[in-house]
Amino acid sequence: MSKSIAPHGKHTRIPTLAEYDRLYRESIEDPRSFWGKQGERVTWFHPFHSVLDIDTEEVDFSWYQGGRLNVSFNCVDRHAAERPNKTAILWAGNEPGEYKHITYRELKHQVARLANVLKAKGVQKGDRVCIYLPMIPEAAYAMLACARIGAVHSVVFAGFSAESLRDRIIDAGCKVVITANEAPRGPKKVALKHIVDVAVDGLKVVESVLVARRTSTDVPMTVGRDTFLDEEMSRQRSTCPVEWMASEDPLFILYTSGSTGKPKGVLHTTAGYLIYTAMTHDLVFDLRPDDIHFCTADVGWVTGHSYIVYGPLCNGATSVMFESVPNYPDSGRIWSVVDDTKATILYTAPTALRALRRAGDDFVKKHSRKSLRLLGTVGEPIDPETWQWYHDVVGEQRCDIVDTWWQTETGGVLISPLAGVTPMKPGSATRPFFGVKPLLVDEAGAPIEWKQGTAIQGNLCLASAWPGQARTIWGDHRRFRETYFSKFPNLYFTGDGSTRDEDGDWWITGRVDDVLNVSGHRIGTAELESALAQNDAVAESAVVGYPHDLKGQGIYAYVVVKPEFKDQNADQIIGALKETVRHVIGPIATPDRITLVSGLPKTRSGKVMRRILRKVAHGQFTELGDITTLADPGVVEEIIAAAKKG
Ligand code: PRX
């Protein structure tokens, strides 16, 4: 394991690692007292009487019971009163030089107007609203407007297809969809409204579609259903009373992929989520009053929810919202936004860093970056070389790096260095956050004991509860229990593998289930296989991941075509299969490699032996393990030959 690097900065509130250790112990030994105190981070309309109640049998977690509060009030109103002219959202548009500062006062007015629009459309507390928007301020207004009136938002990443959007709208039962006419993304424009039209076609549940005008392009509007958001907002008042929500009232649903079935709607609730994101944002990044927090994520993912909108705004910070892509108009774009916004914190994904590193240091060095004091990564393991580049070239060896491990389900960061406190190791997420008790277990579920000086490896589980954790899967609590709490009894199973090194630091090695992490995006192999099945040529398929230089993991599909398609041109079939997946899920899920085979390696009971497919996808053509249990061992030779060919 690599040597650690001492922090360059100093945490403003946690002076030493020994103090972190002390606080950590306190948080584990007496969680109720620890988390009770954290309740002071937010403003309550009515105080809570109980910090944590758990019904283990039902897997029911209840935090801050008895309390009433409102997320929009905490993220907007209290700052609008105290610091009305501070920039809440610093929007960086798609074109270079296109910026907008939205102060806390203005944010309050816009959120109130949008909340009033929703009310006028009949949205009530508990109703679901789908947000399918580009990275424009309206996305944050819409989320906070829902929170203001107690509606539950379901943000769908604007790169998902009409079919994916439709599935999510149906599953959550969304009454209203908020979208834009078009979404500029680098040199392209995505026809969002058109996608929504296809997605909601014939769906009775959707009563209204609100359309933000991001560009001047005209789009067809369905009378009685579609209206323009700006017109609606201008007709509404700029004040709107908040709905005082119970601590455990739902705040949002966010769909994410699992190892089986369709994406699941992870549900986060009000108080615990807000407190946890605010606290992690504050302490992991060592937030200072003048920080400009630049998180490059999209609000369609959990990172955008927690560290563009809820965490930073609850803390009264300035949050940069970036509409474009890192290589538009060139690979210096992120650094030019850093300079223009004077960002002090940059939080991005290893995938982006790998691409920017490959583009060459000149793009970085052309820009000053002197405002930066802290760098963060999230979403996938970071290879030590990229980490070192981030540290040496981007951060000029003066910025700490926080490699933050967490998930959609965890709400906020669970394992990460604390800026200015924790010694860093390139590629390691290092230590657990307060109250978080990671544990490695073997396949049988037995805990693997760690001792100072020895390294261990296993399935990463969590043995404690924390306020930011997901409470259920929308409409399917049984799936929630089975997915996370049944593989290893009384433990939350993350789906990740990890190593714990000789010093006790954690190194997340990646998913151990059938979920891929492609450019930091979670995609289930089952989802990909069912998308491929929608193409007429496909008899069956099996999808696995393989190491990819830029994306971290690439998508490798083995496809058996139906006999009547066997004589068709293979390249054409492969092109059509890629198109099918783009159409069914979205461009982020496009397979990188497709190999046409005449059969899959199956056991006699019909189970696909993915182990073999994974090895072949990794370029390993020998030592495939025992293949004698296969129904037809001959297919392996053919698969290897096909994979070698291309
Ligand atoms: O495999 C882990 C990986 O991303 C997964 C969670 O994906 P998602 O729910 O989309 O949330 C991503 C943003 C929080 C995890 O199960 N992952 C996330 N962060 C890291 C990571 N793997 C290694 N190191 C990280 N810092």
Side-chain angles (χ1 to χ4, degrees), residues 493-617:
F493 176 46
T494 63
D496 279 326
S498 178
T499 297
R500 192 172 184 203
D501 73 12
E502 294 83 346
D503 304 325
D505 286 315
W506 298 84
W507 301 68
I508 315 303
T509 47
R511 304 289 305 194
V512 292
D513 54 6
D514 288 322
V515 172
L516 307 183
N517 192 328
V518 182
S519 302
H521 301 139
R522 246 167 99 162
I523 307 171
T525 53
E527 233 180 300
L528 285 156
E529 288 159 13
S530 78
L532 285 164
Q534 292 202 23
N535 187 300
D536 276 348
V538 176
E540 59 177 337
S541 71
V543 176
V544 296
Y546 72 99
H548 188 288
D549 280 356
L550 280 178
K551 298 176 167 186
Q553 258 190 321
I555 300 172
Y556 198 127
Y558 296 87
V559 176
V560 181
V561 294
K562 289 179 187 155
E564 60 269 34
F565 288 85
K566 287 237 161 80
D567 297 331
Q568 284 196 9
N569 179 292
D571 288 342
Q572 265 173 14
I573 293 182
I574 289 171
L577 293 175
K578 288 188 178 177
E579 195 41 49
T580 300
V581 177
R582 291 168 72 87
H583 178 76
V584 176
I585 305 178
I588 54 165
T590 312
D592 298 280
R593 295 191 64 183
I594 297 181
T595 297
L596 303 184
V597 291
S598 63
L600 297 172
K602 286 186 184 168
T603 60
R604 274 172 222 120
S605 59
K607 197 169 174 307
V608 175
M609 281 180 97
R610 289 173 179 277
R611 167 175 63 81
I612 295 172
L613 296 176
R614 268 190 220 111
K615 284 189 177 166
V616 173

Side-chain angles (χ1 to χ4, degrees), residues 253-268:
I253 300 167
L254 185 55
Y255 286 85
T256 191
S257 297
S259 45
T260 55
K262 289 199 171 187
K264 40 191 191 273
V266 169
L267 184 86
H268 283 285

Side-chain angles (χ1 to χ4, degrees), residues 70-73 75-77 87-92 100-104 106-115 118 129-149 151 153-156 178-180 212 229 233 251-252 297-301 303-314 317-323:
N70 182 280
V71 168
S72 179
F73 179 87
C75 292
V76 184
D77 299 43
T87 301
I89 295 172
L90 205 174
W91 179 71
K100 218 191 271 177
H101 288 251
I102 295 121
T103 63
Y104 273 99
E106 192 182 348
L107 181 64
K108 185 177 169 198
H109 294 160
Q110 302 286 23
V111 169
R113 285 185 201 280
L114 214 160
L118 292 176
V129 171
C130 176
I131 300 172
Y132 186 68
L133 281 172
M135 287 291 285
I136 54 177
E138 284 80 355
Y141 304 160
M143 292 163 78
L144 293 161
C146 288
R148 193 165 192 90
I149 62 170
H153 61 70
S154 162
V155 183
V156 177
I178 307 178
T179 189
L229 186 62
M233 283 172 70
L251 178 63
F252 67 82
D298 191 287
V299 286
W301 310 113
T303 308
H305 283 59
S306 300
Y307 299 110
I308 294 177
V309 180
Y310 292 118
L313 297 182
C314 186
T318 297
S319 186
V320 177
M321 193 175 197
F322 178 51
E323 186 184 31

Side-chain angles (χ1 to χ4, degrees), residues 256 302-303 377-381 403-409 494 496 508 510-511 517 520 522:
T256 191
V302 74
T303 308
T377 79
V378 56
E380 49 181 327
D403 174 355
T404 63
W405 173 83
W406 57 294
Q407 311 179 298
T408 304
E409 295 87 340
T494 63
D496 279 326
I508 315 303
R511 304 289 305 194
N517 192 328
R522 246 167 99 162

